[in-house]
Amino acid sequence: MNDTPGWASPGSAPSDGQQPGAYGRPAEPADRPGPAQPADQPGPEPTNPGTKWSEEQPPPGQWSAPTGPTGPTQAPPPTPPGPGWGAPPPGAPGAGYGGPGGGYGPGGPGGPYGGPGGYGGWGTGWGGPPPAAKPGVIPLRPLGVGEILDGAVSTMRTYWRTVLGISLTVAVLTEVVAVLLQGLVLNNTNSETLNDPSATLDELSRAMADSMLSSAVLFLISTIGTVVATALLTTVTSRAVLGKSVTTGEAWRDARPQVPRLFGLIFLLLLIALGIIAAGALPGILVSLTASTEAGIALAILGSFGTSIVALWLMMRFSLSSPALMLEKQGIRKAMSRSAKLVRGSWWRVFGIQLLAGLIAGIVGAIVVIPFTLLAAALSGGGISGFLTGAASEVDWTFLIVSAIGSVIGSTITFPITAGVTVLLYIDQRIRREALDLELARAAGVQGYGPSTPGPTPGG
């Protein structure tokens, strides 16, 4: 039996050239001669064994057309209606069966088997998986490198009032404090001592200590501004993924409880990195103090280089701690554990994306800051030549203010890039490992996305 498309469907009407018999028995062929028999007398048995039928037949609707030889006048069984199941209608264009887009065979428009995307005659066709939902700046699926960078830029472009407002405010406050400290307290009066070949060891030590203190204070101020900007922009980016806007006040109210913990996390990571590097340099320092100075310096450099690699590996391992702490409302230790879990097995990918984002932010910042620095040097007392040669003994207010303007513009642009890439990388890792896209789709109100019954998300 064969009930494939193109054959008579079970229980259908008999073919042309046949008359229905009793209880499903087929009638005798029309071209077979024989005398008419009365109804109460049996007719002669057929002589052809190939057409002999049993008296016991299955009930109607449960059998298919016979596959034995048919008479010369027996017509083929009719085909069911519908596109793509039989011969093409007369005059139908295309070489496929069923016309363009509806046949099974080569030559139809859109592909060798019918309509666009696949087997047009078998249904609507399968053109691959449906596109992922995109309620916000990224599609809810595992992301590529370009999509992460584009998501950070799209967040800044779509919600520019909030993003640039936060970045500009933090950058202005940071630079104002830095300029006041440099101009009033930490003015670089030690450059002349450091450039003087006749300076004593005590003078050089004191000048180096003052310079290191100035650099540490400025680094601390910059770190504080970066932490605050990261905290606020993390909230903005997480809402942008859902397609929801947030004001600066709402972002601050949401991030404020976690800001002290974020400060603790950043400074703990800095202490870990500096401690590891110092531990590598310590043997060389001891050797230089007790034995050969040259050998000690070489050993210190070699040890610092080796431990710097270890510190870099740890920093990348904990690089997603900040968004984990802010978005999961976790403590410092738990956030570091979550970051290590998400980065495990993807260290090189996380490192590459973070390095690329840092390079882009650094290049953009340099394009903005360098012209302002040169302009500040030209307007200051020493001029550009004095600035480049280091002959200027004191940095004046003109230089500080003009260069600070360039730093504000550069920070306003680079803050959203670095913070946005880190947050989107964290979300991407959770989508890959924990199916966070389902939770995000439900939070965004996407209908029919994923399983109907939400399940718990680890770390959610």
Side-chain angles (χ1 to χ4, degrees):
M1 299 182 186
N2 194 339
D3 56 356
T4 55
W7 289 78
S9 59
S12 63
S15 303
D16 295 338
Q18 290 182 323
Q19 296 296 328
Y23 200 65
R25 177 188 293 180
E28 295 292 337
D31 58 347
R32 173 169 294 180
Q37 299 291 336
D40 57 348
Q41 293 183 4
E45 292 292 332
T47 59
N48 188 359
T51 58
K52 185 175 181 179
W53 295 87
S54 173
E55 293 291 332
E56 297 181 0
Q57 295 291 325
Q62 298 186 7
W63 60 282
S64 299
T67 58
T70 60
T73 60
Q74 184 176 358
T79 59
W85 289 87
Y97 296 99
Y104 180 87
Y113 295 101
Y119 297 84
W122 293 83
T124 57
W126 188 82
K134 189 179 179 181
V137 294
I138 60 170
L140 300 184
R141 55 169 171 75
L143 304 174
V145 179
E147 291 173 323
I148 292 177
L149 297 174
D150 180 70
V153 176
S154 297
T155 302
M156 181 170 57
R157 183 175 62 248
T158 305
Y159 307 99
W160 62 272
R161 289 183 176 87
T162 303
V163 172
L164 296 183
I166 292 173
S167 301
L168 181 62
T169 301
V170 173
V172 167
L173 293 178
T174 301
E175 291 300 325
V176 166
V177 175
V179 167
L180 292 177
L181 285 175
Q182 282 183 294
L184 299 176
V185 181
L186 304 175
N187 199 343
N188 189 14
T189 58
N190 301 306
S191 59
E192 185 177 357
T193 302
L194 294 175
N195 295 327
D196 187 4
S198 61
T200 64
L201 181 61
D202 291 339
E203 292 175 344
L204 290 176
S205 299
R206 187 165 50 252
M208 290 182 63
D210 292 342
S211 299
M212 292 178 63
L213 178 61
S214 301
S215 301
V217 172
L218 294 177
F219 177 76
L220 177 63
I221 295 173
S222 176
T223 302
I224 293 174
T226 303
V227 169
V228 175
T230 301
L232 298 177
L233 293 174
T234 297
T235 302
V236 176
T237 305
S238 64
R239 299 286 184 88
V241 171
L242 304 177
K244 300 178 181 179
S245 61
V246 58
T247 63
T248 304
E250 292 172 345
W252 172 247
R253 286 192 296 270
D254 186 69
R256 182 175 55 188
Q258 294 296 104
V259 170
R261 294 179 178 178
L262 185 60
F263 274 108
L265 172 66
I266 298 299
F267 285 113
L268 177 60
L269 294 178
L270 288 176
L271 288 177
I272 291 174
L274 293 177
I276 292 175
I277 296 174
L282 183 60
I285 296 175
L286 295 177
V287 170
S288 64
L289 294 176
T290 57
S292 174
T293 303
E294 295 180 356
I297 293 176
L299 183 60
I301 294 175
L302 183 61
S304 299
F305 178 76
T307 52
S308 296
I309 298 176
V310 178
L312 175 63
W313 181 81
L314 282 177
M315 292 304 101
M316 286 298 105
R317 185 176 174 85
F318 299 136
S319 62
L320 303 183
S321 301
S322 173
L325 183 142
M326 295 300 301
L327 299 180
E328 299 181 21
K329 311 300 181 184
Q330 301 285 356
I332 296 176
R333 184 176 179 181
K334 182 63 176 178
M336 295 174 66
S337 175
R338 289 283 294 135
S339 176
K341 179 181 178 182
L342 293 174
V343 175
R344 185 182 301 120
S346 303
W347 189 94
W348 284 106
R349 181 174 184 272
V350 173
F351 171 72
I353 294 175
Q354 294 279 36
L355 178 62
L356 180 60
L359 289 176
I360 293 175
I363 292 173
V364 172
I367 292 174
V368 176
V369 171
I370 290 177
F372 277 90
T373 303
L374 296 177
L375 178 62
L379 297 177
S380 62
I384 296 179
S385 59
F387 171 76
L388 295 177
T389 58
S393 61
E394 185 174 350
V395 177
D396 58 12
W397 286 100
T398 302
F399 180 87
L400 292 176
I401 293 175
V402 175
S403 61
I405 294 174
S407 299
V408 167
I409 298 174
S411 299
T412 302
I413 299 174
T414 57
F415 276 159
I417 296 176
T418 55
V421 167
T422 302
V423 175
L424 295 179
L425 184 57
Y426 159 83
I427 293 175
D428 172 63
Q429 289 299 112
R430 288 197 62 184
I431 289 176
R432 293 172 181 271
R433 296 180 179 270
E434 302 171 358
L436 182 65
D437 53 328
L438 303 180
E439 298 294 332
L440 294 176
R442 283 189 286 267
V446 179
Q447 300 295 329
Y449 190 90
S452 57
T453 304
T457 301

